[in-house]
Amino acid sequence: MQVTLRIQRFNPETDTKPHYREYTVEVEPTDRVLDALNQVKWYQDGSLTYRRSCAHGICGSDAMRINGRNRLACKVLIKDLGPKITIEPLLGFKVIKDLVVDLEPFFAQYRAVMPYLINDEPPPTRERRQTPEERELIEDTSKCILCACCTSACPIFWTTEWLGPAAIVNGHRFLFDSRDRATEERLAILNQRFGVWRCRTIFNCTEACPRGIQVTHAIEQVKRRILFEQS
Amino acid sequence: MTTGTVPTQERGPATAGTRGIAAYRGYRPPVGMLSWALHRITGLGVLLFLLLHIVDIFLVGYGPETFNELLFIYRHPVFRIGEIILVAGLYYHAANGVRIILIDFWEKAYRFERQLFYGVIAVFLAGFLPTAFFMIRAMVR
Amino acid sequence: MSAPRPRVGRERPAGGFELYSWYFFRISGLLLIFLAITHVVIMHVINTVDEIDWNFVADRWGSPFWRAFDWLMLFLALLHGLNGARLAVDDYIRARGWRIFAHSILWSAAVIFLIIGSIAVLTFDPSAFQAASTAAGS
Amino acid sequence: MYHRFDAVIVGAGGAGLMAAAQLAGKCNVAVISKLYPVRSHTGAAQGGIAAALANVEEDHWIWHMFDTVKGGDYLVDQDAAEVLAREAIDAIIELEHWGFPFNRLPDGRIDQRRFGGHTRNFGEAPVRRSCYAADRTGHMILQTLYQQSIKNQVVFFDEFMMLDLLLTDDGVCTGVVALDIETGELHIFHAKAVLLATGGFGRVYKVTSNALSLTGDGVAIVFRRGLPLEDMEFYQFHPTGIYKLGILLSEACRGEGGILRNGLGERFMERYAPTLLDLAPRDVVSRSIYLEIREGRGVEGKDYVYLDLTHLPKEVIETKLADNTDFVRTYLGLDPVTDPIPIQPTAHYAMGGIPTDVDGRVTIDAQNTPVPGLYAAGECACVSVHGANRLGTNSLVDLVVFGRRAGRHMLQFVQENDLHPLPKEPDYRARAEIEWILENEGEEKVATIRTELQEAMMADASVFRTGDGLRRMQDKLVELRNRFTRISIDDRSRTFNTDLVEAIELGYLLDCAEAIVACALAREESRGAHYREDFPQRDDANWLKHTLVTRTSGGLELSYKPVIITRFQPKERTY
Ligand SMILES: Cc1cc2nc3c(=O)[nH]c(=O)nc-3n(C[C@H](O)[C@H](O)[C@H](O)COP(=O)(O)OP(=O)(O)OC[C@H]3O[C@@H](n4cnc5c(N)ncnc54)[C@H](O)[C@@H]3O)c2cc1C
Ligand code: HEM
Ligand code: SF4
Ligand code: F3S
Ligand code: FES
């Protein structure tokens, strides 16, 4: 079937402002949007620029705005979108070129929550014990692939500076890990002015997450943790 | 290029790409975003009215003449319609406020995000329609 | 190129302002449901704007209960609403200078309106006028 | 731009990050990666990581070693397999201490499950050896290691693509040249030691489970600089990839009772492996599917067959195979509960690559002479623990065990050695390559050449090989290489030029393909994943040896190196 892709283009070397270009490609209805982009890049206009790698939704490279929603291009099929598809870069980040945005601020937010296990106690010779129930607490948030779909879907992130859902999800991943010992430092970070309280429970993040992570739920769990750990 | 932990956010100048309020135009809202936008707009709207209301209440202290002279404003049809909208805003805000509080304190609420929003609409209508009925009746009389 | 190591010392979560603000939203919001909605019902359902005049207010404020009721509503709604406006300011006003400016306006407004409102509700003395108006009326 | 480090690691997948963890904080180390580290393909691995922890039932490292050797059709270097099996246990515990969220037993220890080819007591019965985190084991390894890198303040150069390896005339490695993709600038990394961990090259084939970015860069660059590659003819095809997409459907589907059916609805494995049927080893099953397709019994005469799960209980499909079910639903719009799934063998894993010793040092000959300062680990390397056919879950072990060893050895190396001066004009080759591609005017398209390469490799150098097919492939490669000199790309800008990147990657793919074909043509026997229809028997008398292929001015040169056999003498491989 034929689809028309309306793609936001921007080349910093020649353009001052982003503009749109349309491409018509012949694809199968069951093809991914990424396949359609590849068609354009490989056979029509090699200068179209976007990130991609795994092509099946596990590396997080190709997060972009597809018909107004943040998606992974490799995880949406053409047939679910219809014959006209608008593709734009993620909101809230500096555009480097076409669909490629500067994710450095995103990773800086991620690093700010100390996303690693902290436990200064000398480890046992074998594994640290953790029950399946304790493990279950971090099942959902440990699925995060850092694709930035959630953060860039959050209206609070568009307009102001805050940690954003993805960083909080990764904070949650360690806060709720029974082996971690840095609860208080993490809570202190997340309790800051630009921490969890900025979240207005808008749920765009949850809707956007391609891994189906209950992002808002995780943020709310962190809020409750701060609330109850406080008193 | 990334390095170790950088605790603050660094953001380059936006050469292109949408940031700020303009971003709203480009994002297609699911219900969560709609409910929040309404909550914020109604909250700010009610606040604006409250500020006005404080001023007029202040005039009560200046005696019946001063105050009663002001009351024609309240009885003006435009203002009365405005008040109906205000009440609508307040009711929505109140109902949605309860929804937000539920999400915050009830562990399982996130599973019913959409249902809760529909509930908000239902509660809102249940409260607003009768109130509006009385207000409109008073107005046409 | 490499940044300073994050603190790894133990530290209690600071009882942050944002946390209390968040809490306040919820508590005041719940109280406001009763206050504001009762208010609306009295003003627009039981009575109508046509019936409300100075005497109505004077009568109502004859009771300390309604004074307390109205004052509490005023106090909570004002702080709740302005706190909400503060969030909006934080979200949409990014330039530091403007942000500080907007915050000062908000907090000044809070103080001023709280004072005016309190004066109106708490110091109102109908008898001063009632004497005059009965005199004038007869 | 010029940078100086003690050690530079190229590639931020499991192997690269594991090595970085050994060096961070102890010396001045940088990690260069053409993708953001968390985008590396290690994140795609599902099944698990094997180690004889014996948490669930009796197990010993020597059983693991045996399975590895047998699985590799005895082409495995047994000293390396021993290291792998012994150190796996340690490495898993280390990962756990770093926060890896393994699935657990009720008493809190790491849970383990069965996986193809892993057995108790030298082949008696399946054993539960694979440690896992749901079906996202690779994702968790990648995340855990990246998290450690952040903790250890590792310096990353993200979206920097290595273009050249700096070797002095006397064969010492002194660094790498890399392209900053974002700015188009060349950077010279001057270092005492370099580790290559650039992953596999599944993209030489049309249908593959590998990422679009897995183009064998490290392997090809080493090859271009005149160093040998080992065992390139051994490339594993996983039997069940989603049709056309190549996305992997785990072995567990068949473990749970799934059946392969051809276009006529026949359970065709009865013909090829009457006892083990659908659970025969990967190489055997892939061959059978391919044979059905070639004989016209694919579904609707096309090049796929069905994986049929419809007779399984719904809960099994929904819970035990949840992720696979999600893939099928998302990408095929089919429901495994009611529909058979179109599958075809998918290019999966390179057993061969850059030859190294057990410390990750890159070696150049049959005597294992190391290149001072050059290391390799992960899928791009060939320590030879996988021999002719890798067992499931053994690759992740390979990454952590040999990534770790390489890192440790590098640390010692950089502490004991001084920085070697760079060769003159270190970046002239890389610069010439970029300028050539940016300026070339021709009528050929990169994508067209790449597609033809992938299709031809799929036809003539994949599961089944013949002398004729391989020679045809050789001619095709000559043609493609010729046409490659006449490419022109659309994007001539410097900023984030992925058109340029894809052209460079095509060059690497051509190199890898050339090496595969040359080695496969020479090896006149069938062993593990290498199956020659014209030589269907394993031939230990002549071919129990590793292939080394080197590019010289006179073309490709093949030589051989003995297999190290310590504990287990080659036997017939029956399951
Ligand atoms: C779908 C799938 C499932 C799998 N499941 C399992 C399993 O269950 N168990 C198991 O043991 N194994 C499994 N494997 C195999 C295993 O995952 C891989 O072999 C392994 O992850 C490879 O790791 P690596 O570190 O060598 O490379 P990768 O993780 O592929 O990383 C390569 C790195 O090199 C970088 N790079 C590449 N070229 C350049 C360049 N020119 N310049 C700079 N950087 C460069 C990339 O950016 C990347 O960071 C699976 C593989 C696939 C494809
Ligand atoms: C009637 C009962 C009310 C309830 C239950 C209620 C509840 C809430 C809650 C829970 C919030 C916090 C939202 C969040 O954290 O995301 C909030 C925000 C807000 N409220 Fe109320 N509220 C009520 C009345 C009012 C009134 C009377 C005003 C106006 C004076 C008001 C103005 C606001 C504003 C401006 C915000 C900020 C909105 C935002 O930033 O998104 N509210 N309300
Ligand atoms: S939480 Fe989901 S949307 Fe957000 S970064 Fe992680 S995977 Fe992406
Ligand atoms: S969209 Fe934003 S406001 Fe909260 S619920 Fe999600 S982070
Ligand atoms: S390409 Fe990896 S998530 Fe889409």
Side-chain angles (χ1 to χ4, degrees):
Chain A
M1 80 189 256
Q2 266 202 349
V3 295
T4 307
L5 304 179
R6 186 165 161 271
I7 304 178
Q8 180 178 320
R9 304 290 311 266
F10 173 73
N11 178 352
E13 293 173 30
T14 52
D15 305 337
T16 51
K17 271 204 319 226
H19 56 275
Y20 287 87
R21 268 202 65 181
E22 292 202 352
Y23 301 90
T24 305
V25 287
E26 186 62 42
V27 287
E28 301 284 329
T30 52
D31 277 350
R32 299 158 281 199
V33 171
L34 180 63
D35 296 315
L37 286 173
N38 284 340
Q39 286 278 322
V40 174
K41 179 167 186 69
W42 294 345
Y43 303 109
Q44 293 186 24
D45 182 353
S47 69
L48 178 65
T49 306
Y50 49 90
R51 294 190 177 100
R52 84 285 177 278
S53 181
C54 72
H56 65 288
I58 48 93
C59 78
S61 296
D62 54 351
M64 53 187 74
R65 202 150 37 104
I66 298 169
N67 281 355
R69 293 235 181 146
N70 289 357
R71 303 283 196 66
L72 296 176
C74 63
K75 239 193 154 176
V76 211
L77 302 189
I78 300 284
K79 67 179 162 64
D80 299 328
L81 294 173
K84 199 158 165 98
I85 302 169
T86 306
I87 302 178
E88 295 148 312
L90 289 181
L91 284 167
F93 296 107
K94 185 179 126 191
V95 174
I96 295 174
K97 187 176 180 180
D98 294 349
L99 303 172
V100 175
V101 295
D102 181 7
L103 285 176
E104 209 27 61
F106 175 78
F107 282 99
Q109 293 168 338
Y110 167 71
R111 290 191 297 265
V113 299
M114 306 201 289
Y116 38 82
L117 192 85
I118 299 176
N119 187 335
D120 300 336
E121 296 157 16
T125 46
R126 293 286 288 204
E127 63 264 46
R128 290 196 174 96
R129 301 287 177 107
Q130 180 175 52
T131 64
E133 293 73 36
E134 288 167 336
R135 164 68 173 69
E136 183 60 28
L137 295 177
I138 54 170
E139 166 74 6
D140 204 35
T141 43
S142 64
K143 291 192 298 206
C144 175
I145 53 174
L146 294 169
C147 66
C149 278
C150 55
T151 293
S152 137
C154 174
I156 307 298
F157 171 77
W158 300 336
T159 50
T160 192
E161 280 154 10
W162 83 299
L163 279 178
I168 299 173
V169 162
N170 285 279
H172 178 285
R173 147 81 181 82
F174 290 100
L175 262 178
F176 287 80
D177 190 326
S178 59
R179 299 166 294 175
D180 191 77
R181 293 288 172 270
T183 309
E184 296 188 350
E185 290 134 84
R186 277 189 226 289
L187 288 182
I189 293 169
L190 293 163
N191 189 22
Q192 280 170 7
R193 200 168 145 75
F194 294 123
V196 286
W197 307 113
R198 287 259 112 158
C199 167
R200 310 245 69 83
T201 48
I202 298 173
F203 279 93
N204 277 9
C205 49
T206 308
E207 300 261 347
C209 180
R211 298 284 275 174
I213 298 173
Q214 290 298 334
V215 182
T216 311
H217 179 54
I219 298 175
E220 291 292 290
Q221 281 188 320
V222 174
K223 286 182 190 165
R224 284 193 284 269
R225 188 82 184 262
I226 297 178
L227 223 50
F228 300 133
E229 210 105 323
Q230 273 287 291
S231 38
Chain B
M1 188 188 340
T2 57
T3 58
T5 303
V6 184
T8 50
Q9 295 180 34
E10 336 127 351
R11 236 192 268 271
T15 49
T18 326
R19 184 124 182 93
I21 297 185
Y24 287 79
R25 264 189 284 120
Y27 201 81
R28 201 190 280 172
V31 295
M33 180 157 151
L34 186 73
S35 71
W36 166 74
L38 285 174
H39 193 77
R40 173 162 278 188
I41 293 165
T42 53
L44 291 175
V46 175
L47 174 66
L48 196 70
F49 171 79
L50 175 71
L51 297 182
L52 273 172
H53 200 39
I54 290 176
V55 173
D56 69 61
I57 282 295
F58 186 65
L59 295 179
V60 174
Y62 285 84
E65 287 82 16
T66 332
F67 184 72
N68 285 349
E69 242 168 68
L70 204 87
L71 284 177
F72 82 93
I73 307 183
Y74 279 83
R75 294 177 184 156
H76 192 278
V78 173
F79 203 90
R80 294 180 89 139
I81 293 175
E83 271 197 317
I84 297 179
I85 297 175
L86 173 80
V87 167
L90 182 72
Y91 281 20
Y92 170 80
H93 189 94
N96 194 50
V98 174
R99 168 181 157 272
I100 295 172
I101 294 169
L102 273 179
I103 292 170
D104 288 329
F105 290 99
W106 175 33
E107 270 274 344
K108 294 191 175 70
Y110 71 97
R111 295 193 198 151
F112 311 108
E113 190 225 336
R114 256 158 218 273
Q115 287 89 328
L116 281 172
F117 181 68
Y118 300 142
V120 166
I121 302 290
V123 169
F124 162 72
L125 290 177
F128 175 66
L129 291 180
T131 314
F133 169 76
F134 283 109
M135 293 177 81
I136 293 169
R137 194 181 62 174
M139 195 167 108
V140 293
R141 252 202 216 141
Chain C
M1 204 160 349
S2 69
R5 221 184 135 75
R7 305 149 297 154
V8 187
R10 299 285 179 264
E11 189 185 303
R12 271 201 76 67
F17 174 74
E18 294 295 335
L19 164 66
Y20 296 125
S21 138
W22 183 89
Y23 232 148
F24 175 72
F25 265 125
R26 274 123 192 102
I27 294 170
S28 59
L30 287 177
L31 290 173
L32 278 169
I33 296 184
F34 297 105
L35 299 172
I37 293 185
T38 311
H39 183 74
V40 169
V41 169
I42 291 175
M43 295 301 168
H44 296 289
V45 178
I46 300 178
N47 300 290
T48 70
V49 238
D50 309 277
E51 292 153 14
I52 295 170
D53 59 4
W54 189 87
N55 284 321
F56 180 89
V57 181
D59 265 7
R60 223 165 85 94
W61 284 356
S63 144
F65 172 79
W66 286 116
R67 280 207 198 207
F69 182 100
D70 283 0
W71 186 79
L72 188 63
M73 176 170 68
L74 175 127
F75 175 81
L76 290 178
L78 195 61
L79 288 190
H80 178 110
L82 283 170
N83 196 24
R86 177 185 67 88
L87 295 183
V89 163
D90 276 356
D91 283 354
Y92 301 126
I93 303 184
R94 296 188 68 216
R96 232 180 101 76
W98 286 110
R99 195 180 269 190
I100 292 171
F101 176 70
H103 277 215
S104 354
I105 299 233
L106 283 180
W107 294 125
S108 317
V111 173
I112 293 169
F113 279 89
L114 204 57
I115 291 174
I116 317 184
S118 302
I119 291 176
V121 180
L122 299 180
T123 69
F124 174 67
D125 179 9
S127 56
F129 301 99
Q130 251 147 12
S133 68
T134 20
S138 57
Chain D
M1 222 207 260
Y2 172 87
H3 308 266
R4 183 184 301 165
F5 287 96
D6 289 329
V8 164
I9 292 170
V10 185
L17 292 178
M18 193 69 193
Q22 313 304 316
L23 295 160
K26 306 201 181 85
C27 74
N28 193 1
V29 56
V31 177
I32 300 174
S33 171
K34 72 175 172 179
L35 305 169
Y36 270 101
V38 287
R39 316 282 184 235
S40 303
H41 210 57
T42 296
Q46 307 169 354
I49 174 164
L53 294 183
N55 274 2
V56 189
E57 54 186 324
E58 187 188 356
D59 199 4
H60 301 285
W61 65 262
I62 197 161
W63 295 354
H64 185 188
M65 173 186 169
F66 171 77
D67 292 333
T68 305
V69 170
K70 182 178 172 191
D73 223 348
Y74 295 93
L75 196 73
V76 172
D77 280 334
Q78 295 187 10
D79 57 338
E82 181 164 340
V83 168
L84 179 93
R86 279 173 181 268
E87 296 192 7
I89 300 169
D90 246 23
I92 298 280
I93 298 299
E94 187 168 38
L95 279 176
E96 199 283 334
H97 291 164
W98 286 347
F100 189 106
F102 284 107
N103 277 35
R104 302 287 174 155
L105 292 163
D107 68 0
R109 289 175 308 145
I110 298 172
D111 193 12
Q112 297 187 280
R113 63 182 174 198
R114 300 197 174 102
F115 225 85
H118 291 282
T119 65
R120 50 171 289 118
N121 206 10
F122 312 106
E124 259 179 31
V127 73
R128 292 172 46 147
R129 184 179 290 150
S130 160
C131 313
Y132 64 100
D135 44 7
R136 302 189 299 275
T137 314
H139 165 76
M140 290 304 181
I141 288 190
L142 190 61
Q143 294 282 329
T144 304
L145 292 174
Y146 185 56
Q147 290 155 0
Q148 286 302 307
S149 313
I150 289 174
K151 182 175 186 182
N152 296 330
Q153 309 271 312
V154 173
V155 176
F156 282 101
F157 290 85
D158 296 333
E159 301 191 321
F160 273 58
M161 182 184 189
M162 170 175 68
L163 295 183
D164 199 9
L165 188 66
L166 299 174
L167 295 174
T168 58
D169 293 336
D170 44 349
V172 178
C173 174
T174 60
V176 299
V177 178
L179 170 76
D180 177 354
I181 299 177
E182 183 179 334
T183 62
E185 219 181 313
L186 282 181
H187 291 243
I188 295 161
F189 291 86
H190 189 182
K192 293 180 191 171
V194 170
L195 173 78
L196 302 177
T198 55
F201 43 84
R203 286 285 154 181
V204 291
Y205 294 103
K206 183 175 156 212
V207 176
T208 174
S209 66
N210 283 198
L212 286 154
S213 54
L214 284 179
T215 49
D217 306 12
V219 175
I221 289 169
V222 160
F223 192 45
R224 285 181 187 184
R225 298 312 313 267
L227 302 177
L229 300 177
E230 182 174 343
D231 288 344
M232 289 295 281
E233 63 272 40
F234 297 102
Y235 199 92
Q236 182 173 73
F237 278 72
H238 193 291
T240 55
I242 292 180
Y243 176 53
K244 278 201 358 198
L245 303 176
I247 298 168
L248 201 69
L249 296 180
S250 173
E251 231 167 56
C253 297
R254 282 168 289 136
E256 295 293 341
I259 290 173
L260 296 167
R261 294 189 190 281
N262 64 15
L264 308 174
E266 297 167 333
R267 183 176 197 180
F268 59 85
M269 283 310 295
E270 288 168 347
R271 259 199 293 283
Y272 305 98
T275 41
L276 280 181
L277 295 165
D278 302 281
L279 275 172
R282 282 180 185 177
D283 46 345
V284 177
V285 181
S286 290
R287 270 196 290 280
S288 314
I289 296 174
Y290 220 58
L291 212 61
E292 290 294 306
I293 290 170
R294 286 226 310 223
E295 288 172 9
R297 289 196 294 272
V299 177
E300 292 169 10
K302 294 211 188 109
D303 51 346
Y304 66 90
V305 296
Y306 282 137
L307 173 62
D308 186 359
L309 306 179
T310 52
H311 54 288
L312 300 182
K314 192 170 152 68
E315 320 82 79
V316 171
I317 298 178
E318 299 275 5
T319 58
K320 293 198 174 169
L321 305 171
D323 246 41
N324 289 281
T325 305
D326 181 49
F327 287 145
V328 175
R329 290 194 178 137
T330 308
Y331 293 111
L332 296 173
L334 294 175
D335 191 342
V337 179
T338 50
D339 310 305
I341 310 160
I343 55 109
Q344 79 192 119
T346 182
H348 188 55
Y349 186 85
M351 269 72 73
I354 307 164
T356 70
D357 64 11
V358 289
D359 288 313
R361 289 185 294 181
V362 172
T363 62
I364 51 168
D365 52 25
Q367 289 72 49
N368 273 342
T369 314
V371 181
L374 185 59
Y375 294 77
E379 190 170 336
C380 70
C382 178
V383 204
S384 210
V385 282
H386 307 308
N389 179 52
R390 171 177 72 88
L391 285 190
T393 71
N394 257 357
S395 166
L396 293 177
V397 192
D398 175 2
L399 305 184
V400 294
V401 167
F402 292 101
R404 192 165 77 150
R405 287 183 72 98
R408 290 188 177 163
H409 200 277
M410 280 171 90
L411 182 61
Q412 195 190 336
F413 183 88
V414 300
Q415 284 165 348
E416 288 168 1
N417 290 276
D418 293 327
L419 197 66
H420 231 75
L422 284 175
K424 268 198 218 68
E425 271 197 88
D427 59 349
Y428 85 95
R429 253 194 225 87
R431 194 169 297 281
E433 182 170 8
I434 290 184
E435 296 310 326
W436 164 76
I437 295 174
L438 280 177
E439 278 153 29
N440 206 37
E441 298 284 355
E443 69 290 352
E444 293 287 348
K445 280 268 186 198
V446 170
T448 318
I449 298 179
R450 188 178 50 218
T451 310
E452 281 184 39
L453 169 73
Q454 291 165 339
E455 279 171 0
M457 285 295 286
M458 202 75 191
D460 286 325
S462 56
V463 175
F464 275 108
R465 295 153 178 193
T466 60
D468 289 343
L470 290 165
R471 274 183 289 273
R472 185 160 64 230
M473 189 64 221
Q474 266 184 332
D475 296 341
K476 181 79 184 170
L477 277 168
V478 172
E479 175 211 319
L480 291 175
R481 200 170 266 296
N482 241 311
R483 286 165 56 192
F484 184 58
T485 61
R486 298 195 303 275
I487 56 163
S488 67
I489 61 173
D490 295 341
D491 192 346
R492 312 266 164 151
S493 65
R494 295 275 162 184
T495 314
F496 225 99
N497 191 336
T498 49
D499 215 12
L500 170 68
V501 169
E502 287 194 13
I504 298 171
E505 288 174 341
L506 173 58
Y508 297 150
L509 287 178
L510 287 167
D511 289 333
C512 292
E514 225 165 64
I516 295 171
V517 173
C519 298
L521 185 58
R523 184 174 286 270
E524 299 187 331
E525 65 155 351
S526 292
R527 180 187 297 272
H530 173 69
Y531 190 88
R532 283 284 297 266
E533 280 175 287
D534 37 359
F535 300 94
Q537 297 306 316
R538 192 172 95 187
D539 177 1
D540 285 344
N542 294 309
W543 288 103
L544 187 58
K545 57 190 180 185
H546 298 292
T547 314
L548 291 177
V549 57
T550 315
R551 179 185 280 169
T552 65
S553 48
L556 301 192
E557 226 165 62
L558 296 173
S559 58
Y560 293 90
K561 132 170 151 179
V563 175
I564 297 171
I565 291 169
T566 57
R567 293 176 187 260
F568 304 109
Q569 285 306 314
K571 282 197 291 220
E572 171 125 41
R573 181 165 162 259
T574 54
Y575 282 94

